[in-house]
Amino acid sequence: MTSGVAAMSTGSSNGAGRARDAIDDRGVAPWRRYAYNSTVMGDSVMSGSQWTRRDVARGLGFGVASAAAATWPGGARAAEAKSITVLNWQGYGTDLAAGVQHFKSATGIEVKHDYYNSEPEMLTKLRTNPGAYDVVLVNSARDAQAKADELIDPVDLGKLPNAAGLAPAFKTNPNIVIDGQTYGVPWVWGMNAIAVRTGKGFKVDSYAVFEEAAFAGRGALFDDAVTEIAVAALMLGQNINDPKDMKAIAARLKSFKRDVKLVWSSEDEWNKAFAAGAFDVSVFWSGAVTRAVNLHQQPVTFVVPKEGAVGWLDNFCIPATSTGKAAGLQFIDYMVSPQFYAEWAKSGAPASANAAAMAALPESDLNRQIHKPEYLDKLQFMGALPEDRRQAFNDLWEEVKAFYAQS
Amino acid sequence: MSAPSTPEGRRARPSIASPEGRRARPAIATAALLLPAYAWLLVAVFLPLGAMLFFSFLKTNPFGSKAPLVFTGAHYLAFVTRPYLVDVAITSLRLGFWTTGICAAIGLPTALAIARATRGRVRQTVFLLAILPFWTNGLVRIFSWTMLLRQGGILDDLVHLVLPGVGSVGLLYSFPAIVVGLVHAYLPYMILTCYLAVAGIDDALIDAARSLGARLPTVFATVILPLALPGLVSGSILIFVPVIGSFMEPRILGGRIGVTMGTVIEDQFTQAYNWPLGSALSFTMLGIVLAIFALFSSVLRGRLAP
């Protein structure tokens, strides 16, 4: 059952982040977080969504892509405007060999890469290597921080022909539009909501399913403070990034106790337990549901309930110190194009923020079926969290877990 | 644990040298022999522990921020400010007592059997089988238990094979499942320490007891058990301490139930990035463990005297 993912992960070669994924897929739930967080240390808050995306990206034949990027001939000597450097997670779309080659043949611009293994590392690299990067992939929750540190420039979406297809929910996302100016080009996105076992006639349209007697001992939650507090905040109509009534959130989460069988912490753990029939409903990642169905043939579907879902969005930014901003924008435009997305989707890409790119997928594509455009209005996006609030989230979640564990 | 009386004799041996040399050389030799161990202890135990102790008095994580360090003892009040931790700690202690108790109940008879009823190749084989868990990866062990214990798993199938018609047996994600995993992991410690204690019992003692009319239960209770006690105690210490700090077994086998001090501390380091709180909780647990040992050692002191 897990062989598919395991085989994929072996392709995701170097870098701490990738090593983490490889370990994790052999079923090492708790340890993954060591490997991962040791690179994060202080202030990453959106671990859940990062995993999703990088887990998705794992399937992309990195071996080829990264080898191509690493051995790019004569890159350093190339003329300034004829080569750009992209800062991204390894194996996350921009270094797809076919894409890099197509872009070079179309524009004559070579694409080189540098990689980061955590979001703080990305910010550090931008700070300490001025002028080194022309395009950087940023989790939109980090845009405000990058902007505050004057690391990124505003972007005029009107100059990018392919940005026309971007859904308004992304273009005007509060993570991206800061002080009336747009700082990123939305690229790919995903959701955290409910995975439901199919074939048993379950009708689920609310997170209140975790309070229903019919699902006693049949539920699973994600062991992530930010996600679970967001779920309760959605139920209570609060802002997921700044909930006003933490007491109500704690009470709501505690009311799940009867139904919660498992608090899972890795996709692999989830897959194993779900395959063994340990639970029927779970807080889960949209991209992971497509993998559970496509790679593991699990009877599962993804539901965005009436309260909405937790969204994440990755966007491209132009580093303020870039020396090839025009070429960088050209590359970003290609990255958001339906042509590139079609190429990437062959090997399992996350959902594109470009409606035109999603529409170009076959009707039967699960990614397209799950990431419906109408869901966009029901999403609250994970945003930046100040240190004390993050700590409060973690304390609350720890308390709720201890409550679940009481006999 | 009691040292044989040979060191004095050994030390006297190089007596050909001058009286000063006689003293100095063994001292140097002893120091040289101890150096690797103490150097290792210093580097591998005290430095990290010292760093953790330092962290435990910081207000927030020192990484990635330029703010000056702020010191506080507040994290040591975690059990007061976060009352739910008391329940968590009790769960951990219950795990510790159950696991240690079951290990003792299984380990001592096993050690007795190996020491007194086997010899030669049979003994080697049985011994090997007993310590086999040591040679398997911990996570492999735990995940194989998930396959055994879960509803519709191997154990469930076996039960139905023998007793068709019984309800389904699913132990996974329960307290007993965690104990099963922990006992499997730590039983070899108990067998080894008990074996060392039991193997040293002189057959003549047992023969004497039997010849004085003692039945087997009496022999066990009055001769074997007291003599095996040092093994039981050291085995219990070796097991109890890691068990109450364990986090893999509770997390994977415990499901919703699996919240222990180990997982809470792990979360502080890996999810919440609150190293100071994690360190303070670790040292608090260390204090609790030492207090428990102090309690037990005063009870056992009289019996353990060599």
Side-chain angles (χ1 to χ4, degrees):
Chain A
M1 180 204 76
T2 58
S3 59
V5 179
M8 284 161 64
S9 69
T10 51
S12 60
S13 52
N14 46 11
R18 301 259 69 86
R20 164 189 66 76
D21 288 342
I23 292 166
D24 176 53
D25 287 327
R26 289 180 205 116
V28 191
W31 297 103
R32 94 182 285 189
R33 298 191 302 192
Y34 285 128
Y36 170 56
N37 289 312
S38 62
T39 65
V40 180
M41 289 264 176
D43 58 325
S44 171
V45 280
M46 299 195 44
S47 43
S49 62
Q50 289 161 13
W51 298 349
T52 323
R53 277 160 284 160
R54 283 176 291 157
D55 289 349
V56 173
R58 201 189 297 131
L60 304 180
F62 298 99
V64 182
S66 51
T71 58
W72 207 251
R77 289 185 301 277
E80 194 113 84
K82 288 292 168 193
S83 119
I84 57 167
T85 303
V86 177
L87 182 61
N88 191 1
W89 305 99
Q90 186 166 17
Y92 196 45
T94 55
D95 53 6
L96 191 72
V100 168
Q101 274 156 19
H102 181 265
F103 184 69
K104 166 125 199 247
S105 61
T107 63
I109 300 170
E110 281 179 17
V111 181
K112 293 184 285 182
H113 274 85
D114 191 8
Y115 301 110
Y116 58 83
N117 294 303
S118 72
E119 289 170 7
E121 186 189 351
M122 176 264 295
L123 294 172
T124 305
K125 283 195 163 179
L126 286 179
R127 279 187 204 111
T128 52
N129 303 331
Y133 308 110
D134 306 296
V135 173
V136 57
L137 177 102
V138 183
N139 176 346
S140 66
R142 294 276 183 184
D143 282 10
Q145 195 181 350
K147 186 247 165 191
D149 291 358
E150 298 176 348
L151 296 172
I152 53 175
D153 270 1
V155 186
D156 183 359
L157 290 182
K159 285 187 184 162
L160 303 178
N162 283 308
L166 294 174
F170 298 126
K171 273 201 253 193
T172 59
N173 193 285
N175 279 354
I176 288 178
V177 180
I178 305 163
D179 299 337
Q181 280 190 299
T182 305
Y183 279 87
V185 184
W187 189 37
V188 288
W189 64 286
M191 300 171 280
N192 300 355
I194 311 177
V196 182
R197 189 180 294 277
T198 53
K200 287 200 174 181
F202 296 135
K203 293 227 177 338
V204 175
D205 72 337
S206 165
Y207 292 107
V209 66
F210 293 108
E211 295 168 332
E212 281 176 28
F215 286 95
R218 303 301 301 160
L221 300 179
F222 175 31
D223 191 0
D224 177 72
V226 175
T227 300
E228 295 307 343
I229 283 165
V231 164
L234 286 171
M235 292 177 84
L236 294 162
Q238 299 193 39
N239 178 349
I240 68 165
N241 295 308
D242 191 11
K244 289 296 168 230
D245 190 350
M246 291 290 274
K247 281 217 174 81
I249 285 188
R252 200 75 202 223
L253 286 172
K254 284 179 178 177
S255 73
F256 293 177
K257 178 172 174 175
R258 178 185 52 198
D259 287 9
V260 174
K261 177 82 166 179
L262 173 70
V263 181
W264 59 274
S265 50
S266 79
E267 187 174 339
D268 183 71
E269 184 185 10
W270 190 96
N271 275 307
K272 284 198 173 91
F274 186 82
F279 57 84
D280 294 323
V281 290
S282 171
V283 171
F284 205 32
W285 310 323
S286 56
V289 168
T290 67
R291 290 188 290 282
V293 173
N294 290 337
L295 302 176
H296 308 308
Q297 290 77 46
Q298 292 300 320
V300 62
T301 186
F302 190 75
V303 173
V304 173
K306 60 183 183 212
E307 296 95 342
V310 187
W312 58 263
L313 172 64
D314 276 350
N315 63 173
F316 283 117
C317 301
I318 297 287
T321 55
S322 163
T323 51
K325 288 178 184 169
L329 277 174
Q330 240 179 311
F331 182 67
I332 293 173
D333 188 52
Y334 172 61
M335 279 291 119
V336 297
S337 70
Q339 296 90 305
F340 172 75
Y341 186 69
E343 188 66 38
W344 191 16
K346 283 182 201 163
S347 46
S352 173
N354 189 339
M358 288 304 275
L361 290 175
E363 199 78 51
S364 62
D365 188 282
L366 195 61
N367 228 348
R368 181 176 168 184
Q369 287 173 13
I370 284 180
H371 298 90
K372 289 181 189 144
E374 57 261 38
Y375 287 157
L376 293 180
D377 300 333
K378 300 168 83 176
L379 293 186
Q380 277 197 46
F381 283 85
M382 288 197 226
L385 291 180
E387 183 71 15
D388 53 342
R389 197 179 303 151
R390 191 172 56 71
Q391 187 60 49
F393 277 24
N394 280 305
D395 285 348
L396 187 143
W397 179 233
E398 203 67 68
E399 183 186 340
V400 169
K401 279 197 289 179
F403 177 78
Y404 289 159
Q406 279 172 18
S407 44
Chain B
M1 291 203 172
S2 67
S5 59
T6 43
E8 287 310 311
R10 292 242 175 85
R11 223 168 272 168
R13 212 169 285 164
S15 56
I16 314 140
S18 66
E20 301 84 58
R22 195 192 300 166
R23 273 163 196 267
R25 219 182 296 160
I28 293 170
T30 313
L33 287 171
L34 287 175
L35 187 68
Y38 277 91
W40 173 250
L41 276 179
L42 186 73
V43 172
V45 179
F46 290 108
L47 280 185
L49 269 185
M52 284 295 141
L53 192 64
F54 173 75
F55 276 128
S56 71
F57 286 102
L58 290 176
K59 190 159 182 297
T60 52
N61 229 356
F63 306 110
S65 88
K66 289 167 201 136
L69 298 178
V70 181
F71 292 91
T72 170
H75 296 304
Y76 282 92
L77 297 176
F79 278 88
V80 182
T81 54
R82 297 170 164 83
Y84 64 88
L85 284 178
V86 176
D87 287 330
V88 177
I90 290 172
T91 306
S92 294
L93 293 175
R94 275 177 57 218
L95 266 183
F97 285 120
W98 272 103
T99 307
T100 313
I102 293 176
C103 281
I106 302 175
L108 181 59
T110 312
L112 269 176
I114 294 175
R116 309 211 70 84
T118 62
R119 54 170 49 85
R121 188 158 294 179
V122 177
R123 175 179 292 189
Q124 285 174 13
T125 312
V126 175
F127 215 88
L128 199 76
L129 288 175
I131 60 170
L132 212 55
F134 266 160
W135 297 351
T136 48
N137 177 288
L139 281 157
V140 172
R141 252 184 348 235
I142 298 169
F143 275 104
S144 55
W145 275 115
T146 66
M147 277 185 276
L148 269 165
L149 296 175
R150 74 172 22 130
Q151 212 166 0
I154 297 167
L155 187 72
D156 202 3
D157 288 349
L158 279 179
V159 169
H160 283 121
L161 208 65
V162 184
L163 300 165
V166 226
S168 67
V169 184
L171 273 182
L172 191 62
Y173 308 136
S174 69
F175 189 83
I178 309 175
V179 174
V180 165
L182 287 169
V183 166
H184 185 192
Y186 291 103
L187 185 58
Y189 289 100
M190 189 62 91
I191 295 179
L192 282 174
T193 54
C194 285
Y195 173 81
L196 289 177
V198 170
I201 299 177
D202 193 342
D203 285 346
L205 288 175
I206 293 164
D207 291 342
R210 296 299 299 270
S211 71
L212 288 169
R215 290 168 195 273
L216 272 181
T218 319
V219 175
F220 178 78
T222 57
V223 180
I224 295 177
L225 194 58
L227 289 171
L229 207 54
L232 276 175
V233 170
S234 44
S236 299
I237 293 173
L238 282 179
I239 293 171
F240 189 77
V241 176
V243 162
I244 64 167
S246 64
F247 53 87
M248 278 196 308
E249 289 87 354
R251 216 180 258 289
I252 299 169
L253 297 173
R256 186 195 80 186
I257 308 295
V259 177
T260 63
M261 286 313 288
T263 63
V264 170
I265 292 170
E266 186 208 3
D267 280 346
Q268 297 312 315
F269 283 96
T270 61
Q271 282 216 322
Y273 314 110
N274 193 343
W275 286 37
L277 179 60
S279 319
L281 287 174
S282 305
F283 281 104
T284 311
M285 281 314 277
L286 183 66
I288 293 174
V289 169
L290 290 178
I292 291 174
F293 285 161
L295 200 74
F296 275 79
S297 77
S298 62
V299 173
L300 292 169
R301 191 167 296 144
R303 298 185 154 231
L304 283 178

